[in-house]
Amino acid sequence: METQKSKVYFSDLRALPGTSLPEKLKKLIRRAGIGDIDFDKKMTAIKIHFGEPGNLSFLRPNWAKAVADVVKELGGKPFLTDCNTLYVGRRKDALEHLESALENGFSPFSTGCQIIIGDGLKGTDETYVPVKDGELVTEAKIGTAIMDADIFISLNHFKGHEATGFGGALKNIGMGCGSRAGKMEMHNSGKPTVDQERCVGCRTCSKNCAHGAISFDEHRKASIDHTKCVGCGRCLGSCNFDAIYNENSSAVKELDMKIAEYSKAVLDGRPNFHINLVIDISPYCDCHGENDVPILPDIGMFASFDPVALDQACVDACNAQKPMPGSLLDDRMHEEGFCDHHDHFVNTTPDSGWEYCLEHAEKIGLGTRQYELITI
């Protein structure tokens, strides 16, 4: 029996005089069927990433306002949300998180709706949600404000990621909606190790470790204490010398599977809708306090009720593009001994394995990788 394809709607980024990209996004999500959801007086979580201060590739507040405006037009009560982070940075508690959001331009005045940090002041306001068909997670730890919402919308910046290959809908939902303890549960299957021959003692890794797990010997070589390490991968992403690697070959697979299972916990049993903006495709997550040159050109906006099909469509669209000259992807492809995986995200971060997440999400009934692309 042939699997029924999910509909994924696409619009490019052309905007002629007299039009605008926010209006184009509104048109896209209306055509994609967001109005089929009963929003009447329903509290609607719009999950977004506010961006670590210093990073300039996160989605501008204008995009969030476009979505919030449509929700309000349909009778809903939208709010923007994200949960606190596990790593060192300025979004690890609600006060700093809100300050960061404001610094990056998110406010009720710029977006037309309130901001609520999903897992509370210290990242401990969580709800235990059973995961139906979960293989690795029995109960997901999700930010309570997110679970209290009647309707869930994800507004996602589709880009590269140092651990999962790319970050799209499932990454923003699964990892993003986990409380701090939930994030630790997803990450703790993989503990990175230092290749001391490559380590130059710059200490960038230790500055990015929130758990004091990295120390240096008399030769300025780093080592990681696995009893303190939670496996968040921030050190791996911050090392410019490829001196940190994950020696647990199953860790990436387990991380991706847990993200899929956390996503199912968030979405099960209530209306949900998803938007991926494939722009400013930086090689690493917006959790970084910087952003590198995009690895691929801007592509457009995608929307669907199916987050699995949505992410698959975006991956396919990205892999149809040519790498940006001077980007990290371009650098990787010109390294000595380069092995072409015929996949831009794996070529950028060879230790990642993004397909595990989509495969598992499909297996547990979160969606299908088969899609029909409808251009608006």
Side-chain angles (χ1 to χ4, degrees):
M1 183 176 178
E2 186 177 349
T3 302
Q4 186 174 359
K5 294 180 179 180
S6 291
K7 293 181 179 179
V8 177
Y9 292 77
F10 167 75
S11 185
D12 63 27
L13 297 166
R14 298 295 303 274
L16 300 176
T19 64
S20 71
L21 289 177
E23 289 300 320
K24 199 167 185 178
L25 176 59
K26 290 181 183 181
K27 179 181 178 181
L28 174 70
I29 63 177
R30 291 189 187 108
R31 287 287 300 276
I34 195 171
D36 294 342
I37 298 173
D38 177 12
F39 282 97
D40 188 34
K41 297 181 174 58
K42 302 290 198 317
M43 292 191 179
T44 303
I46 301 175
K47 170 64 178 72
I48 195 169
H49 192 303
F50 298 114
E52 187 70 22
N55 186 298
L56 294 178
S57 67
F58 63 90
L59 297 182
R60 290 185 177 95
N62 313 65
W63 299 112
K65 185 177 190 303
V67 178
D69 285 349
V70 171
V71 171
K72 288 191 291 185
E73 289 167 11
L74 294 169
K77 302 170 72 175
F79 65 95
L80 300 180
T81 190
D82 196 5
C83 288
N84 293 306
T85 61
L86 185 61
Y87 55 81
V88 64
R90 289 182 51 197
R91 295 181 303 117
K92 61 185 181 293
D93 64 62
L95 298 182
E96 286 189 289
H97 206 153
L98 287 169
E99 286 176 357
S100 297
L102 288 167
E103 186 174 316
N104 283 341
F106 294 90
S107 75
F109 306 104
S110 63
T111 65
C113 65
Q114 296 293 336
I115 300 171
I116 299 174
I117 302 305
D119 58 345
L121 185 63
K122 296 182 178 180
T124 56
D125 188 4
E126 59 195 11
T127 297
Y128 288 78
V129 185
V131 181
K132 185 180 179 182
D133 301 321
E135 295 181 16
L136 299 176
V137 179
T138 304
E139 288 185 317
K141 304 172 182 68
I142 308 297
T144 295
I146 291 171
M147 292 311 302
D148 281 347
D150 303 303
I151 298 167
F152 181 90
I153 296 173
S154 69
L155 175 57
N156 317 296
H157 175 212
F158 194 92
K159 70 285 180 190
H161 193 278
E162 59 272 25
T164 59
F166 71 80
L170 294 178
K171 174 67 168 55
N172 190 33
I173 299 165
M175 184 62 70
C177 292
S179 65
R180 296 192 81 196
K183 289 179 171 67
M184 186 177 296
E185 179 179 27
M186 282 180 273
H187 276 300
N188 68 9
S189 61
K191 305 293 179 72
T193 298
V194 180
D195 180 344
Q196 296 198 340
E197 289 186 6
R198 289 176 176 258
C199 178
V200 299
C202 67
R203 296 182 179 263
T204 301
C205 56
S206 63
K207 294 175 184 176
N208 281 273
C209 180
H211 305 279
I214 301 176
S215 59
F216 294 83
D217 62 19
E218 65 273 16
H219 304 294
R220 295 173 54 212
K221 301 293 185 179
S223 61
I224 299 173
D225 183 346
H226 285 180
T227 64
K228 296 180 180 179
C229 172
V230 299
C232 72
R234 289 287 291 174
C235 58
L236 193 153
S238 68
C239 181
N240 293 323
F241 302 94
D242 297 322
I244 300 178
Y245 64 98
N246 198 328
E247 63 181 352
N248 180 355
S249 61
S250 68
V252 169
K253 183 176 182 179
E254 290 180 19
L255 171 63
D256 282 348
M257 290 173 66
K258 288 178 180 179
I259 288 171
E261 294 184 8
Y262 262 68
S263 296
K264 187 168 187 183
V266 172
L267 301 180
D268 256 0
R270 59 176 164 174
N272 56 87
F273 185 83
H274 312 283
I275 305 155
N276 280 358
L277 301 184
V278 190
I279 58 177
D280 296 323
I281 308 170
S282 50
Y284 296 140
C285 182
D286 292 341
C287 293
H288 281 245
E290 83 291 326
N291 59 284
D292 201 0
V293 170
I295 59 175
L296 299 167
D298 289 350
I299 296 174
M301 18 181 142
F302 297 73
S304 180
F305 284 98
D306 183 338
V308 182
L310 180 65
D311 275 353
Q312 184 67 60
C314 293
V315 171
D316 291 344
C318 286
N319 277 326
Q321 303 296 314
K322 293 182 178 179
M324 291 286 280
S327 67
L328 178 61
L329 172 57
D330 186 50
D331 289 348
R332 294 273 196 246
M333 296 177 73
H334 287 90
E335 288 177 351
E336 184 178 351
F338 168 71
C339 175
D340 190 355
H341 297 274
H342 304 287
D343 182 295
H344 293 321
F345 296 108
V346 180
N347 282 343
T348 302
T349 51
D351 292 330
S352 65
W354 60 262
E355 284 197 85
Y356 297 128
C357 185
L358 298 192
E359 288 172 355
H360 192 59
E362 189 172 45
K363 179 181 178 182
I364 63 177
L366 193 53
T368 175
R369 296 174 70 179
Q370 305 301 312
Y371 63 90
E372 175 190 358
L373 190 65
I374 301 168
T375 300
I376 303 300

